[in-house]
Amino acid sequence: MIEVEVKARAYKDSKEKIDALGATFLLVENHRDLYFNSPSRDFKQSDEALRIRIKEDGARLTYKGPKLDQQTKSRRELTVKIDDPTQMGEILSFLGFVLSAEVRKRRTKYSYQGMVIALDEVEGLGTFLEVEAQGEEDWENEKERVLSVLKKLELKDTIRRSYLELLEEKRAEQDRQKI
């Protein structure tokens, strides 16, 4: 499956704009995302990700492939439900994978025309808005749909970097300021 996703910094009135679109509120989730790096290649260099996401309805292991275009965060995504995230983390560790970071966020999800709109409050980063759809061969059509929703929400500057990348940039900047 191809996850077609665009992200931008949210404005103070983003929730009101989501409501004005007619999006349907779904739920609020708390995410604890554990990112692992491979022993055979650096995922930062290959633009891949391996994550265990822990939330109220259970845990999932997700692989994300490299981004497919220069405008969005669209990429191949494979996800499986796991029963025990701690054991899964240990399995990955025994295989040589290294826990590289943790990202925590509170996600408020809405449904809109077969897409998901998420308002994410990310610890240490602030609030973002994501519009997501799923596709395969038609992923470019889905890309146009998510970009049009972003435009309706009056969000112009998309962010292609993941929350993990944004947190790493912030830490690096803080480290530079200490010098």
Side-chain angles (χ1 to χ4, degrees):
M1 184 246 338
I2 305 290
E3 178 188 54
V4 181
E5 176 184 320
V6 291
K7 171 172 50 192
R9 282 220 175 257
Y11 298 131
K12 290 187 188 294
D13 64 347
S14 290
K15 184 191 177 313
E16 290 77 15
K17 289 184 179 183
I18 292 168
D19 291 340
L21 272 183
T24 304
F25 170 80
L26 295 174
L27 65 124
V28 176
E29 301 173 323
N30 292 293
H31 294 188
R32 180 174 171 229
D33 293 342
L34 306 172
Y35 287 89
F36 291 84
N37 204 0
S38 170
S40 62
R41 64 183 178 271
D42 183 355
F43 287 159
K44 188 185 245 184
Q45 298 299 315
S46 63
D47 192 28
E48 297 169 284
L50 182 66
R51 165 190 85 202
I52 294 175
R53 171 167 287 164
I54 304 163
K55 55 185 185 172
E56 292 84 355
D57 72 345
R60 288 159 181 76
L61 177 69
T62 299
Y63 164 79
K64 293 183 175 237
K67 294 177 194 89
L68 298 173
D69 66 29
Q70 295 299 314
Q71 194 173 17
T72 69
K73 290 182 59 214
S74 301
R75 57 198 333 181
R76 177 148 316 277
E77 181 176 288
L78 304 168
T79 299
V80 293
K81 193 168 186 157
I82 55 175
D83 293 329
D84 188 332
T86 302
Q87 289 281 352
M88 187 73 241
E90 287 183 28
I91 290 169
L92 292 173
S93 179
F94 283 124
L95 293 172
F97 288 83
V98 177
L99 178 64
S100 58
E102 180 175 335
V103 177
R104 291 178 181 261
K105 69 179 170 278
R106 179 179 174 86
R107 173 170 279 179
T108 304
K109 290 172 75 171
Y110 301 85
S111 174
Y112 180 70
Q113 297 182 353
M115 294 172 273
V116 172
I117 299 174
L119 205 49
D120 289 342
E121 300 166 48
V122 184
E123 272 186 27
L125 288 177
T127 306
F128 297 83
L129 193 141
E130 292 186 355
V131 182
E132 299 177 5
Q134 295 179 356
E136 275 300 329
E137 294 82 27
D138 64 340
W139 77 270
E140 297 248 4
N141 294 332
E142 293 301 313
K143 174 180 142 180
E144 295 310 315
R145 286 186 355 111
V146 293
L147 287 170
S148 83
V149 171
L150 205 67
K151 188 174 182 179
K152 288 178 187 176
L153 293 168
E154 299 175 19
L155 296 166
K156 296 172 182 69
D157 298 321
T158 62
I159 300 169
R160 290 187 70 242
R161 295 176 315 283
S162 67
Y163 295 133
L164 174 61
E165 291 168 310
L166 292 171
L167 280 169
E168 287 174 347
E169 287 173 11
K170 184 176 180 179
R171 283 187 204 113
E173 179 61 30
Q174 289 170 340
D175 288 346
R176 281 191 296 276
Q177 290 177 355
K178 290 178 187 175
I179 297 173

